[in-house]
Amino acid sequence: MHGVYHQLLDATIGHLESLRQRGVRYVDVSPESLSRLSKPARQKNTAVPLGQAEQQRPDEPSVCDSPQLSADEREATMAKLCDEALACTKCDHLVSTRTQVVFGVGTVQAELMFIGEAPGQDEDREGEPFVGAAGQLLTKIIEATELDRDKVYIANILKCRPDTPGKVYGNRKPRPDEMETCFPWVKRQIEIIQPKVMVALGGTAVEGLLGKMTTGITRLRGNWQAYRGVPVMPTFHPSYLLRNQSWVIRRHVWEDMMQVMQRLDMPISEKQRGYFQRR
Ligand code: URA
């Protein structure tokens, strides 16, 4: 029941934010709706995919119920977790093909966390998420919000590059069993950082974070979701943007990012609001 409450609350917030973006200042709300909205949830929030009747992940406490760490403790805990992840050998097939484990990059003080799918060839070589072509586009998107890569945290659902047997080049999507095996790492990263907002880049990242969805990324994007109380904005993966240069798709991603900026109380300039307006 509490899942449905948060699902509706997030959908309402998303809807109100998109109205505000379109310049709407006031909405009519009946006293009954207002009173229902103001009731606190009886239990803690968990991952609640919109458009889904059942939760895919078992009840887990809210991320903000994880220990509150000082800045130094966060650094130390993340460094220890990184050491453990770098030594991970849970998936034989990935261990035998990876160059290195790609743990994550950015600041543990980040309010905003990006979750991608899995390292590609460039990331496997460099040991850092999103350094290839898709990564350069992600960096541009981050910078368009007036943030920098080192002011956010970037991690993937899978920490090792998915193997591509019989092929030298190319990528493949992580399999559900691989995502499930690897999930504890990103879960701990989220608990340590306790971001105010997360952006899930593409359908696979959404699935890894929130469980199998009945709604595809095209319909899901732009609609707030929640992972254990942390608001999650699903949007298109930058590599999809590279493959599909459509102005509409790029505008959608920017609208999603503006919702994120609003949720973080970041200023949005007229110039930023105007990106992708003319046409
Ligand atoms: N795509 C991802 O999802 N993650 C990366 O790190 C690179 C490309």
Side-chain angles (χ1 to χ4, degrees), residues 105-144:
V105 69
T107 172
V108 288
Q109 312 302 336
E111 293 193 338
L112 176 57
M113 190 166 172
F114 288 87
I115 309 287
E117 188 176 300
Q121 195 174 23
D122 296 316
E123 290 75 20
D124 175 67
R125 190 182 55 243
E126 302 290 327
E128 182 174 325
F130 284 99
V131 290
Q136 284 160 25
L137 180 53
L138 177 63
T139 303
K140 279 192 192 160
I141 295 170
I142 293 169
E143 288 173 355

Side-chain angles (χ1 to χ4, degrees), residues 58-251:
D59 264 10
E60 287 190 78
S62 183
V63 168
C64 64
D65 286 346
S66 308
Q68 302 286 321
L69 304 174
S70 69
D72 287 349
E73 286 168 337
R74 274 188 206 192
E75 294 280 3
T77 314
M78 191 66 95
K80 184 166 174 288
L81 186 72
C82 179
D83 286 346
E84 288 167 23
L86 297 190
C88 179
T89 55
K90 282 188 210 158
C91 307
D92 288 343
H93 61 299
L94 301 184
V95 173
S96 66
T97 53
R98 76 185 179 204
T99 305
Q100 55 195 313
V101 173
V102 180
F103 181 67
V105 69
T107 172
V108 288
Q109 312 302 336
E111 293 193 338
L112 176 57
M113 190 166 172
F114 288 87
I115 309 287
E117 188 176 300
Q121 195 174 23
D122 296 316
E123 290 75 20
D124 175 67
R125 190 182 55 243
E126 302 290 327
E128 182 174 325
F130 284 99
V131 290
Q136 284 160 25
L137 180 53
L138 177 63
T139 303
K140 279 192 192 160
I141 295 170
I142 293 169
E143 288 173 355
T145 70
E146 297 290 334
L147 286 170
D148 284 316
R149 256 176 94 97
D150 59 6
K151 296 277 184 308
V152 301
Y153 196 88
I154 308 173
N156 284 310
I157 295 287
L158 223 65
K159 306 299 186 206
C160 294
R161 182 179 183 213
D163 59 340
T164 50
K167 287 198 210 157
V168 180
Y169 295 104
N171 294 314
R172 72 160 170 86
K173 278 187 181 212
R175 294 195 309 256
D177 61 306
E178 292 169 334
M179 292 202 277
E180 213 48 51
T181 306
C182 209
F183 191 71
W185 299 119
V186 78
K187 180 178 172 214
R188 287 291 296 128
Q189 287 174 306
I190 296 167
E191 288 169 352
I192 293 168
I193 295 174
Q194 303 200 4
K196 284 195 182 152
V197 172
M198 292 194 280
V199 175
L201 299 164
T204 309
V206 174
E207 182 181 331
L209 205 51
L210 305 179
K212 184 86 187 143
M213 309 297 284
T214 52
T215 312
I217 188 69
T218 307
R219 285 196 51 221
L220 207 59
R221 63 137 287 272
N223 292 292
W224 286 106
Q225 307 292 308
Y227 170 73
R228 294 167 57 205
V230 181
V232 176
M233 173 53 68
T235 195
F236 293 118
H237 193 285
S239 54
Y240 177 68
L241 290 187
L242 290 176
R243 289 195 306 274
N244 183 337
Q245 299 270 336
S246 131
W247 176 82
V248 175
I249 301 290
R250 286 187 290 150
R251 191 189 68 195

